[in-house]
Amino acid sequence: MTSTLDPRSLIDADEGWIDRRIFSDPGLYELELERIFARCWLFLAHESQIPKTGDFVTAYMGRDHVIVVRKKDGGVAAFINSCSHRGNRICGASQGNARQFVCNYHGWAFGLEGELVGMPQKELYEATPGFDKSRMGLTRVAQIESYNGLIFATFDPEAPSLDDYLGDYRWYLDIVLDNDEGGTEFLDGCIKYDVACNWKLPAENFVGDSYHAQWTHNSAAMAIFGRGISPRKLENTFHATMNGHGWGFGLDMIGNAAASGHRIVTDYWRSRESAIAARLGKLRSKMVASSSSANLFPNFGFLPGHACFRVWQPMGPASMELRSWILVNRNMPAEVKDAYRQAAAFTFSPGGVFEMDDSENWENATRASTGVVTRRQRLYYGLGHNTREDHPDLPGRVYRNFFSDANQMAFYSRWADLMSAERWADVAEPSERDAAE
Amino acid sequence: MSGTSTSSGGRPASEPVDWTVVLEVQQFLFSEARLLDACRYQEWLALLTDDVHYWMPVIENTLGRGAPHRFSPDRLAFFDDNLKSLRRRVDKLTNRTAWTENPPTRQCHVISNVEVEPAERGDELTAHSVFVHNRGMGERDEFTLVGRREDVLRRTEEGLRLAKRLVIIDQHVLLARNLNVFF
C-alpha cells in the first residue's frame, strides 16, 4: 500500500501544524517502514547484554526481526531472523547463548555471523548446479556500530556513519553514557508491553514534552512528593535539537532522580556532582539526572535520572511494543542499582505510577485520529518556535523554556525530510535547514 | 536464570494442613480479592504486614528445558514493592487526578486452586493460588491476565496478614497498556 499523501504537506513547521493522518494512515506507515526504519540507525542492544561469544538478543528494526550476536572476534553481528530456505523464523528466544542458529523447519544451520554452515543431506545441495552456500547466509544489516556502549545498526549502506547520524547529539548522550570512568551497563532484563498507539506519540512525548508532566502526572507527584509538580523556573530550561534528535531539560541536576522515590538515588548523583563536573563540565553535571527527557531519532527514548531507555517499536499504524531497559553506571553501588531496579517498576513501566497515564493518552490520541472528520482538524505544535537562541555552550538548535513544541516540530521536520527522500543523498541536511531559519 | 519460587513443585504438601486452616486461608484470599475488585485499596493495605514484599517479575522467553516460568530477583520486574511503595501506589490511584481511574476501572479477580502448606516460620503459611483477572476500562477496553500466586501469610493478633506475594504470569510481553491494579 503506497500512500498518496505527500509527507511534507502534512508538517507545517513554519506555522506549527501537524496533520493527524500521520498517526493513522496505513500507507504512511508502510512508507515509514521503508524510509525511516529500513534507513535510519536503530538501537539494538547495550554491549553489556551480550558479553560472551555466542551471547545474543533479538530485536526489531522496523518490522524486520534481527538476531544480535557477539561474534568470536569480539565484534557484534546482526542479521535477519528468517531462514534463507523457506523463510521460517529461526530463533524464538528473546535472548541467550548459542553456538549456531538452527531452523526448526528443515534443520538449516547458521553461524554467529549469519553464514550458512550446513543442512541435512548437504551432498544433495552440493550436487545441485548453481547452489552457492556462501550466498545463502542470513541477510545482515548494512552497518553496525557502537557509541559508548550502545549498539546501533542500519539496513541502508548509504546511511551516514553513526557519528555523523548522531552529530552534536553525542555531546548530550555523553551525559548519560560517559559521566563515570567505568562506563555503563544495562541491568538484566527488559520490560516489554503492548500499547495500541502510533509509535510517534511516545517519541514526540520524550523528545520534548515537559509540558504534560504537571497535568498528566499530578497524581503520581502527589503520591511521591505530597504536592504537585509546581511551575518550574522556566528560564533555566531548554530544548536542544539536531538531526531530529532532541533533549528537553532543566539544570536542576536531580529533578528526575528525585521522582524515583529513592533517596539513595538522589544521594548518589549529588555525591558525584564534582566528579561529573570535572569530567564533563559544570553545565552537563547539572543535566545528569535533571528534569528532562530525550529521544534519539526515530524511536529510542530515555529519561536521564530515571535511567530508563526504551524503544518505541512499531507493530502497525496503531500498535506498538514498548521495550524498556535500565541503564546504570557500572561503578554504581549495588544498593543504588537495586533502587533503580525497583524504581523501574514503580515509575516508568506498565505498572509505573507515571507511565500508566501516558499510555492511555497515547492510545486515545491514536484512536481519535482514525475519525475522518476528527483528523481534518490539524494539531497545534507552534509553542516556543520564537524562543530560539544562540547559546554559547549548548550545541545544536537551542530554545529557551522546555514548555515548548520546538523539539517535537524538529522531530517531525526530520520525519518529513526522510519520508520525502528517495535515498539518503536526497535527505535535506539539517544544518541547511538551521541556516535557513 | 531460574525461578526462586519455594513451591513444592506440584507435589502435594508434605504435611497436610488442617481443613479449617485451608478454609480460613481461602476466606482470606476471597475477601482480599473482593476488596481489590471494589478498589477499596486502603482496606487492602491493612491486610499487609509492615515488611510485605509484593513482587511480579518479568517472565523471560529463553531457550532450553527446565522450569517454564523463568524469572530472577536481579532482573527487571512489573512490581517489586514494599509497604511504602504500595502505599504510594494506592495514594496515586485514589488521588482525584488519577486519570486512569476516571471513569473508574472495573475489575474482577477469580481466585482458585488454593493450596496451603506450612511455611518456614511457625507463625506463617504458604498459600498457592491461581487467578483470572479481568479488567474493563472506558467503553470497550478489556484486559485479561491469568497467573499463579505464591503467598506467605502470617498469623497476627489481628488475624492473617499477607507478608509476601509472588505473582507469576504466562505472558512475556505484557499484552496490556498498563497495570493500574493489583493481583
Side-chain angles (χ1 to χ4, degrees):
Chain A
M1 193 184 322
T2 305
S3 177
T4 54
L5 299 171
D6 169 15
R8 285 193 195 280
S9 72
L10 306 171
I11 309 295
D12 179 351
D14 296 330
E15 301 290 328
W17 296 100
I18 298 279
D19 188 310
R20 298 170 76 168
R21 285 175 291 184
I22 68 166
F23 300 124
S24 61
D25 185 74
L28 285 176
Y29 169 74
E30 291 298 322
L31 197 62
E32 284 178 342
L33 296 180
E34 295 276 355
R35 294 191 172 175
I36 305 281
F37 290 96
R39 174 183 277 173
C40 289
W41 285 91
L42 303 174
F43 172 75
L44 293 185
H46 191 287
E47 296 272 3
S48 64
Q49 292 179 281
I50 47 172
K52 300 191 298 291
T53 300
D55 285 349
F56 71 89
V57 294
T58 56
Y60 285 102
M61 297 173 68
R63 296 296 301 121
D64 296 297
H65 198 233
V66 297
I67 308 174
V68 186
V69 194
R70 180 69 62 183
K71 300 190 291 184
K72 286 175 186 152
D73 68 3
V76 178
F79 42 83
I80 287 182
N81 184 16
S82 175
C83 186
S84 55
H85 177 223
R86 289 294 180 271
N88 187 32
R89 181 200 68 189
I90 294 170
C91 179
S94 308
Q95 64 169 108
N97 181 276
R99 276 181 294 182
Q100 55 181 17
F101 297 94
V102 182
C103 178
N104 289 346
Y105 201 166
H106 301 86
W108 282 33
F110 300 87
L112 298 184
E113 299 186 44
E115 75 280 14
L116 177 61
V117 292
M119 73 284 277
Q121 285 82 45
K122 69 175 184 202
E123 62 281 4
L124 296 179
Y125 282 97
E126 285 165 356
T128 301
F131 180 82
D132 179 356
K133 197 170 96 173
S134 71
R135 295 174 60 190
M136 296 296 290
L138 303 176
T139 302
R140 290 176 201 170
V141 297
Q143 305 181 57
I144 184 165
E145 287 182 46
S146 280
Y147 184 76
N148 273 344
L150 303 182
I151 303 166
F152 294 84
T154 170
F155 281 122
D156 192 341
E158 295 181 5
S161 69
L162 179 62
D163 273 342
D164 286 346
Y165 182 83
L166 297 173
D168 283 339
Y169 205 55
R170 292 169 297 178
W171 186 90
Y172 293 91
L173 279 175
D174 289 350
I175 296 167
V176 288
L177 299 178
D178 192 31
N179 66 63
D180 184 274
E181 61 185 5
T184 62
E185 63 187 13
F186 271 3
L187 295 181
D188 284 341
C190 175
I191 299 171
K192 304 175 186 174
Y193 67 110
D194 255 13
V195 185
C197 73
N198 185 274
W199 67 273
K200 294 187 291 302
L201 287 163
E204 67 150 71
N205 178 278
F206 270 56
V207 85
D209 191 338
S210 299
Y211 179 51
H212 82 293
Q214 60 184 349
W215 193 265
T216 293
H217 300 309
N218 183 66
S219 59
M222 290 292 290
I224 294 168
F225 301 120
R227 57 181 167 77
I229 303 170
S230 55
R232 301 166 193 285
K233 289 180 182 168
L234 293 170
E235 64 269 23
N236 268 334
T237 67
F238 298 89
H239 268 195
T241 177
M242 57 237 81
N243 297 5
H245 318 310
W247 202 291
F249 55 95
L251 300 176
D252 53 13
M253 194 186 161
I254 47 93
N256 274 0
S260 72
H262 290 266
R263 181 88 185 260
I264 194 173
V265 167
T266 45
D267 288 349
Y268 168 78
W269 290 114
R270 283 211 173 92
S271 76
R272 295 274 308 144
E273 181 169 5
S274 59
I276 295 170
R279 189 174 180 81
L280 298 174
K282 188 171 180 205
L283 181 61
R284 285 192 286 181
S285 76
K286 297 294 186 190
M287 296 167 63
V288 73
S290 72
S291 303
S292 55
S293 66
N295 193 71
L296 193 162
F297 193 92
N299 67 330
F300 185 56
F302 50 95
L303 298 173
H306 284 293
C308 61
F309 283 65
R310 46 263 308 280
V311 165
W312 323 112
Q313 171 52 43
M315 306 300 267
S319 180
M320 178 189 82
E321 184 178 304
L322 200 167
R323 298 186 160 195
S324 193
W325 300 265
I326 296 292
L327 177 129
V328 295
N329 283 335
R330 223 179 261 277
N331 289 338
M332 204 177 261
E335 57 270 29
V336 180
K337 292 180 183 178
D338 283 343
Y340 265 122
R341 183 178 297 110
Q342 287 170 16
F346 183 70
T347 56
F348 288 88
S349 73
V353 294
F354 292 98
E355 201 153 64
M356 67 171 70
D357 292 297
D358 288 317
S359 54
E360 296 224 349
N361 293 342
W362 303 333
E363 285 201 358
N364 290 324
T366 299
R367 201 174 292 184
S369 296
T370 60
V372 170
V373 180
T374 305
R375 67 189 178 216
R376 282 183 197 149
Q377 182 175 33
R378 295 185 302 170
L379 301 177
Y380 186 64
Y381 284 73
L383 183 67
H385 70 88
N386 57 329
T387 63
R388 187 171 173 195
E389 67 174 48
D390 288 320
H391 193 283
D393 302 311
L394 293 170
R397 286 167 62 184
V398 175
Y399 298 79
R400 195 170 282 271
N401 185 345
F402 71 2
F403 284 6
S404 176
D405 295 331
N407 277 5
Q408 291 91 316
M409 200 35 108
F411 169 87
Y412 286 118
S413 295
R414 179 68 157 173
W415 177 88
D417 288 345
L418 281 156
M419 290 285 278
S420 307
E422 295 280 344
R423 43 190 299 190
W424 261 109
D426 302 329
V427 177
E429 279 289 328
S431 55
E432 291 170 16
R433 177 186 294 283
D434 284 356
E437 284 174 17
Chain B
M1 86 208 60
S2 62
T4 56
S5 162
T6 56
S7 159
S8 52
R11 296 186 306 278
S14 50
E15 284 177 60
V17 172
D18 188 273
W19 274 113
T20 57
V21 175
V22 176
L23 287 171
E24 183 190 7
V25 167
Q26 277 193 13
Q27 196 79 346
F28 176 87
L29 295 177
F30 294 163
S31 308
E32 184 215 351
R34 192 156 53 86
L35 289 178
L36 291 175
D37 289 351
C39 300
R40 288 157 61 181
Y41 293 127
Q42 294 294 349
E43 291 165 77
W44 178 71
L45 286 174
L47 298 180
L48 313 179
T49 63
D50 289 343
D51 61 344
V52 67
H53 184 218
Y54 182 93
W55 182 36
M56 178 168 153
V58 172
I59 305 300
E60 306 298 339
N61 172 47
T62 51
L63 293 170
R65 311 226 171 255
H69 295 86
R70 294 162 185 194
F71 55 92
S72 160
D74 57 9
R75 300 177 71 82
L76 298 185
F78 292 113
F79 289 91
D80 188 355
D81 282 73
N82 54 27
L83 187 60
K84 181 180 172 188
S85 62
L86 288 170
R87 279 194 176 129
R88 282 176 165 169
R89 287 180 182 278
V90 167
D91 286 348
K92 183 260 183 287
L93 289 171
T94 53
N95 186 280
R96 69 182 176 83
T97 63
W99 309 125
T100 58
E101 309 314 309
N102 195 7
T105 297
R106 303 169 294 272
Q107 55 179 317
C108 182
H109 296 72
V110 181
I111 307 296
S112 181
N113 299 29
V114 177
E115 293 177 82
V116 183
E117 300 174 327
E120 280 177 31
R121 280 174 53 157
D123 60 345
E124 292 183 344
L125 296 159
T126 300
H128 305 270
S129 61
V130 298
F131 68 88
V132 176
H133 180 267
N134 198 57
R135 176 166 45 135
M137 300 177 79
E139 285 185 341
R140 46 179 295 135
D141 289 347
E142 185 173 54
F143 303 101
T144 303
L145 196 63
V146 181
R148 178 163 273 289
R149 303 185 305 187
E150 186 176 306
D151 298 337
V152 173
L153 301 177
R154 188 176 304 154
R155 210 171 268 298
T156 72
E157 288 176 6
E158 290 83 37
L160 288 176
R161 292 291 179 267
L162 182 67
K164 200 185 277 191
R165 171 159 291 165
L166 166 60
V167 181
I168 302 170
I169 58 173
D170 299 329
Q171 294 178 3
H172 169 61
V173 178
L174 182 83
L175 300 179
R177 64 170 174 246
N178 56 20
L179 290 171
N180 59 330
V181 291
F182 301 103
F183 302 100

